[in-house]
Each structure stands twice: as C-alpha cells, then as structure tokens.
Amino acid sequence: LPYRSDGEGRTVSLPFLALRPVTARLEVFDARGAVVLTEVLHISSAGEAAFAIAPKALPSGSYHFVITPADGSAGRARGEFVILR
C-alpha cells in the first residue's frame, strides 16, 4: 500500500494489515538511525490499519519506519518515506 498524504500536508498515512486485535508500535528512524518518533495504536479487530503522522513533527529528510506488535510477538512492517518542504 502506498503512503498517502491528506493532500494538505497535515498527515501522512503509514498503512499496514493487522491479522488480529493488537496494540501496534511505530518507530521512525532518521538517516543516521536515531529514533525520532514513536507512537502506539490500539487496533480492536483484524484488517487494514494505519498510523497517521504529522509531517510537521519531523524536519525535511529521509526516514525509515518499523511497525511491530507491542507485545513482542512475531510480525513486522517496514518502509521508508521522505519529507520535502
């Protein structure tokens, strides 16, 4: 699934598929590998889900993200995105 902006630049959607109800954790890393953003999302049922992040929280640059279950179980989604101002 592509990463989408809301068209106004207020949010960027990082979609993933939850196979069960789960608490998911998002970690965003900058180009040096430092964690620059962490969020948690509670998902009540299996299906498509997405983290919505505010690009204003991050400076221009290239970012890598990882989404994992917060309970430490198996499963992982990864990707990259770029913020240009």
Side-chain angles (χ1 to χ4, degrees):
L1 298 172
Y3 315 131
R4 296 180 191 86
S5 169
D6 66 1
E8 301 287 323
R10 293 179 299 227
T11 62
V12 173
S13 179
L14 304 176
F16 62 100
L17 181 63
L19 300 179
R20 61 181 171 86
V22 67
T23 297
R25 178 184 168 132
L26 167 70
E27 290 183 300
V28 177
F29 303 86
D30 66 14
R32 296 174 303 183
V35 176
V36 294
L37 180 70
T38 301
E39 292 190 10
V40 174
L41 179 65
H42 304 286
I43 301 159
S44 60
S45 62
E48 293 182 10
F51 279 94
I53 62 169
K56 289 183 179 182
L58 301 168
S60 292
S62 176
Y63 297 91
H64 173 79
F65 70 89
V66 177
I67 300 170
T68 56
D71 64 8
S73 61
R76 182 174 306 255
R78 301 173 188 243
E80 297 175 336
F81 62 94
V82 174
I83 294 179
L84 301 173
R85 298 202 197 288

